Amino acid sequence: MPNQSSLMADRDQPANMERILQEITAVSRRIEGMDASISSLTLETKSIRTDIAGFHSWVMGLEHRVGTLETHISTIQDRDQDISYLRSKVTDLKDRSRRDNICLLGIPENGEGTDVQAFLSSVIPKLTSLSFEPPLEFQRAQRVGPKRQDGALRPRLIIAGLLRHSQTRQILQVAQTHGPFRMDKSEVRITADYSKDTTERRKAFLSLRL
């Protein structure tokens, strides 16, 4: 004959089974939820990897463009150096071609008459108090620029190319030391004939010379 405890266990068995089934169902639902979360995380991970790959591709493209730009900059710098070198050579050639020239500023318009070279041959020794042997000779001499119609305007300068460089040096040395000179009521300056670039550079140093 079954005892009382066995009977009670038999009565509790369905209840225990029900509870176990409920727990198993709850765990299954939790696992399903975890599976869904894992699937979502997997999709997000794939999306992140895609974004990272796209960003990496963009960075690589940017590095390529930067490299190309650096090459262009280097090329431009090389060209600038070449241009600067060529410009300095042209300036040097211009200055060398003018090394025998002198510029006379302040001589009144028409003061030279019809023969500029004969006028300069006479007036330069008087202005500088130099005696030249042989006498001054010129390759060319002329006023520069359009003729002044208004007597109040500053007279045009005269550029003269001397035949002998030694006489050019003599005149410029005296002009630098004793100029400007007086010619009647006018002040006359005698300077070297430089190219535009050299003239601009010399102007930049005037403040340092004063």
Side-chain angles (χ1 to χ4, degrees):
M1 180 177 182
N3 58 31
Q4 187 176 0
S5 59
S6 297
L7 293 173
M8 291 180 66
D10 291 339
R11 286 196 300 267
D12 291 340
Q13 187 173 3
N16 290 336
M17 291 296 296
E18 182 68 25
R19 185 172 64 256
I20 291 172
L21 289 173
Q22 290 177 354
E23 290 178 357
I24 291 173
T25 301
V27 170
S28 297
R29 289 175 179 173
R30 289 174 62 187
I31 291 173
E32 290 175 357
M34 292 176 65
D35 287 341
S37 298
I38 290 172
S39 297
S40 177
L41 286 173
T42 302
L43 291 174
E44 290 181 4
T45 301
K46 289 181 179 179
S47 177
I48 291 172
R49 286 177 178 173
T50 301
D51 292 342
I52 291 174
F55 179 72
H56 183 264
S57 177
W58 179 81
V59 170
M60 293 295 291
L62 182 61
E63 288 179 349
H64 175 72
R65 290 196 293 270
V66 170
T68 302
L69 181 60
E70 288 176 343
T71 301
H72 287 333
I73 290 174
S74 178
T75 302
I76 291 171
Q77 289 175 340
D78 291 341
R79 288 177 181 175
D80 286 344
Q81 291 177 354
D82 291 342
I83 291 172
S84 178
Y85 172 76
L86 292 174
R87 183 173 180 176
S88 66
K89 293 297 290 183
V90 169
T91 298
D92 181 64
L93 289 173
K94 287 181 178 179
D95 288 333
R96 287 179 182 275
S97 69
R98 303 180 185 195
R99 63 194 299 266
D100 294 326
N101 292 357
I102 58 173
C103 298
L104 294 94
L105 302 89
I107 293 179
E109 286 283 333
N110 303 316
E112 69 279 14
T114 57
D115 191 339
V116 181
Q117 294 187 19
F119 169 77
L120 294 179
S121 297
S122 172
V123 76
I124 288 177
K126 294 178 182 177
L127 292 175
T128 61
S129 300
L130 290 172
S131 57
F132 298 98
E133 187 59 40
L136 290 177
E137 293 183 77
F138 299 90
Q139 303 176 57
R140 59 197 171 276
Q142 62 184 22
R143 292 271 188 183
V144 177
K147 189 173 182 179
R148 300 284 193 259
Q149 301 298 328
D150 187 350
L153 296 175
R154 180 182 299 177
R156 295 170 295 163
L157 65 86
I158 295 175
I159 294 181
L162 280 80
L163 186 62
R164 300 175 182 84
H165 182 67
S166 59
Q167 293 178 336
T168 303
R169 290 204 314 269
Q170 278 184 283
I171 294 169
L172 292 176
Q173 287 172 356
V174 171
Q176 186 175 14
T177 305
H178 299 95
F181 306 104
R182 300 298 304 180
M183 178 179 170
D184 297 329
K185 296 181 180 180
S186 301
E187 182 179 88
V188 178
R189 295 178 180 272
I190 301 176
T191 66
D193 181 25
Y194 295 111
S195 64
K196 182 179 179 180
D197 286 345
T198 301
T199 300
E200 293 298 323
R201 288 200 301 270
R202 288 173 61 85
K203 285 182 180 178
F205 287 100
L206 283 178
S207 59
L208 300 177
R209 295 173 58 188
L210 298 177

